[in-house]
Amino acid sequence: MAQSDDEEGIEVAPGHPPANGYLPVPGGAPAGKTSAEPQKGTKAGCLALNGVPRDSHAAASGALGRPQTHLAPEEETQVRLLPTGAGEETPGPEDTQVPRTALSARRFVVLLIFSLYSLVNSFQWIQYSIISNVFEGFYGVSSLHIDWLSMVYMLAYVPLIFPATWLLDTRGLRLTALLGSGLNCLGAWVKCGSVQQHLFWVTMLGQSLCSVAQVFILGLPSRIASVWFGPKEVSTACATAVLGNQLGTAVGFLLPPVLVPNTQNNTDLLAHNISTMFYGTSAVATLLFILTIIAFKEKPQYPPSQARAALQDSPPEEYSYKKSIWNLFKNIPFVLLLITYGIMTGVFYSVSTLLNQIILTYYEGEEVNAGRIGLTLVVAGMVGSILCGLWLDYTKTYKQTTLIVYILSFFGMVIFTFTLDLGYIFIVFITGGVLGFFMTGYLPLGFEFAVEITYPESEGTSSGLLNAAAQIFGILFTLAQGKLTSEYGPKAGNIFLCVWMFVGIILTALIKSDLRRHNINIGLANGNIKAVPVDSPTDQESKTDMMSKQSESAI
């Protein structure tokens, strides 16, 4: 059952269905009453969750003793979690309660700390690219060298995502958060020792450490939201966690051009300005690492939702990381989402990395305004993220919202592309804001949609795979767009990205929406609760009727 804060050091492997948990089913008793009172009799009031394969319709049908039939998504999700045999014994106490759920006030502290150190990590990702011409002159390197200071974030993520998600699933949220915050702090301090013109390799080393830290950061928003926040706020919480990363990008667009102006005729002044930026970043990263150590907890005393309660008591030895990965890749809707999310986020990474070069092609000497355009793009995206999160919590229309935002992002990219050369920079501010509102607003949508269609698999694993796809597409798009931009101009590079976004729209439309987590939550929260002992001699027809009523309640 739920652990107190004092017991949070005991690691429990998340992300898989419990063997000894219990799932109430709709019936005749008043809603909510069963969870407050113990049920009488052996395992009364609950259906044991004893490991029916999540992706096996035949096994689910066998659990009911009937031939395999087509089930509605709500029924299918519940049947995956039903026992394999009507009379199968499940060890447990004589009096078993539905897990108590409650919201902890600490959840806001955890969310704030994560968002802030994610902000600093994202700031360090973009701080070189937005003033790439300044760093090229200071270190005496090519534009490709500076681009790699950004792309190293993408490159490091791909091979490290699997050990990182394994660590999250087997060792827990707190350790992963400490690694992310600690490596981010270490990388910032290493870069402080690189403020000499011949030490480009040191700044690359520091940036590489920050890129490793990112592996332990990008996959956490959906896990934090699921572990700490209730069903009516989980999407908003995920959007807020992603918001920290976006805000860091915004600050990365805004501050470096102000802190490090283009004074290449005065090398000493330029070195002083770079040093100021690096040391300031290190101080903030250190403070946030200390706060992470003090305040970041593994999980609240009680689960925040019934879907989370159904997962939290599972024994660690029953969890298989390889099987979890395999289950995800057998999930066709998730594979489609993996590709579409990678395309959209890869386009965002590419545009962010090359924004300075794109803007300066048409507006020479506008380094500061290039940073402000980037700021506008990301701030508008932050607003879009929060609005999308609130909308999902209110409507639960994951696929429809994802598809609409994808289409609007495509049109935003087309408008941005064909208005760059008009000669009016204020138009670029407007089109950049529209593009950012939809494109950046899409990021938390992908995370939450993935959690819904892959439940009860680990949120960290699904989010990690999404981010890995984003990094792969980001590297490919940045290299391709950079080549097209340098040889044919920014318009050619942007059209290349538009074509890929159109492909993403088509694939998004093909995703089947099976909201498994949502179905579990509404199946438990809505309707009436009836005590159904696992080993009762209930006939097959009444079990089928129970499933039908449960489906109707969910709808």
Side-chain angles (χ1 to χ4, degrees), residues 352 432 515:
S352 299
L515 307 184

Side-chain angles (χ1 to χ4, degrees), residues 82-251:
L82 289 176
T84 55
E88 182 173 340
E89 289 287 334
T90 302
E94 284 295 312
D95 294 327
T96 306
Q97 291 180 307
V98 174
R100 172 184 170 184
T101 62
L103 296 178
S104 168
R106 185 186 286 270
R107 69 192 189 278
F108 298 112
V109 176
V110 170
L111 183 63
L112 177 62
I113 292 173
F114 170 78
S115 298
L116 289 176
Y117 77 72
S118 178
L119 180 156
V120 175
N121 183 260
S122 182
F123 170 82
Q124 296 192 82
W125 164 57
I126 206 67
Q127 67 181 160
Y128 295 99
S129 296
I130 198 58
I131 49 173
S132 57
N133 57 320
V134 175
F135 279 105
E136 286 173 33
F138 180 76
Y139 287 115
V141 296
S142 69
S143 61
L144 183 61
H145 284 80
I146 303 302
D147 289 345
W148 271 111
L149 287 170
S150 172
M151 289 190 291
V152 69
Y153 266 59
M154 310 174 202
L155 183 65
Y157 198 93
V158 178
L160 294 178
I161 182 55
F162 293 105
T165 52
W166 174 85
L167 190 73
L168 175 62
D169 291 345
T170 58
R171 296 296 181 266
L173 187 60
R174 175 175 164 82
L175 178 61
T176 306
L178 288 174
L179 283 171
S181 183
L183 288 170
N184 189 54
C185 176
L186 178 61
W189 281 109
V190 169
K191 286 193 282 189
C192 291
S194 69
V195 192
Q196 295 185 43
Q197 291 182 289
H198 65 286
L199 294 180
F200 176 79
W201 68 272
V202 177
T203 209
M204 177 60 81
L205 175 62
Q207 191 74 338
S208 299
L209 288 171
C210 294
S211 71
V212 175
Q214 179 208 217
V215 182
F216 299 101
I217 294 174
L218 285 188
L220 292 192
S222 56
R223 170 62 66 88
I224 291 173
S226 179
V227 169
W228 286 90
F229 289 83
K232 294 184 178 180
E233 57 188 14
V234 63
S235 296
T236 305
C238 182
T240 305
V242 174
L243 188 72
N245 196 267
Q246 298 170 359
L247 183 59
T249 305
V251 176

Side-chain angles (χ1 to χ4, degrees), residues 173-405:
L173 187 60
R174 175 175 164 82
L175 178 61
T176 306
L178 288 174
L179 283 171
S181 183
L183 288 170
N184 189 54
C185 176
L186 178 61
W189 281 109
V190 169
K191 286 193 282 189
C192 291
S194 69
V195 192
Q196 295 185 43
Q197 291 182 289
H198 65 286
L199 294 180
F200 176 79
W201 68 272
V202 177
T203 209
M204 177 60 81
L205 175 62
Q207 191 74 338
S208 299
L209 288 171
C210 294
S211 71
V212 175
Q214 179 208 217
V215 182
F216 299 101
I217 294 174
L218 285 188
L220 292 192
S222 56
R223 170 62 66 88
I224 291 173
S226 179
V227 169
W228 286 90
F229 289 83
K232 294 184 178 180
E233 57 188 14
V234 63
S235 296
T236 305
C238 182
T240 305
V242 174
L243 188 72
N245 196 267
Q246 298 170 359
L247 183 59
T249 305
V251 176
F253 280 127
L254 178 65
L255 283 186
V258 175
L259 296 175
V260 188
N262 192 354
T263 58
Q264 295 187 32
N265 57 336
N266 189 338
T267 305
D268 291 338
L269 177 60
L270 184 58
H272 172 76
N273 292 335
I274 294 175
S275 180
T276 299
M277 180 173 68
F278 285 167
Y279 275 101
T281 304
S282 302
V284 175
T286 302
L287 174 62
L288 291 172
F289 179 50
I290 294 171
L291 290 176
T292 304
I293 295 173
I294 295 172
F296 210 100
K297 299 295 183 182
E298 180 66 34
K299 61 178 180 286
Q301 181 178 0
Y302 298 105
S305 67
Q306 296 289 4
R308 192 68 209 171
L311 298 177
Q312 86 169 12
D313 292 330
S314 182
E317 61 271 13
E318 293 188 6
Y319 176 66
S320 169
Y321 180 68
K322 290 182 180 179
K323 184 178 180 182
S324 178
I325 295 289
W326 179 241
N327 287 338
L328 290 175
F329 279 110
K330 289 194 299 182
N331 186 328
I332 300 302
F334 175 72
V335 172
L336 290 173
L337 181 62
L338 193 67
I339 298 171
T340 58
Y341 185 90
I343 291 172
M344 174 71 83
T345 313
V347 169
F348 171 71
Y349 288 163
S350 182
V351 171
S352 299
T353 300
L354 301 173
L355 186 63
N356 178 268
Q357 299 174 37
I358 293 172
I359 300 301
L360 293 186
T361 299
Y362 297 107
Y363 304 94
E364 189 175 349
E366 294 284 2
E367 289 92 352
V368 173
N369 272 330
R372 290 171 179 168
I373 291 169
L375 174 67
T376 303
L377 187 149
V378 178
V379 169
M382 289 159 52
V383 176
S385 293
I386 293 299
L387 291 179
C388 287
L390 291 170
W391 177 256
L392 286 186
D393 279 332
Y394 180 72
T395 66
K396 303 299 181 183
T397 53
Y398 289 87
K399 178 180 176 178
Q400 298 91 322
T401 304
T402 301
L403 182 59
I404 290 171
V405 171

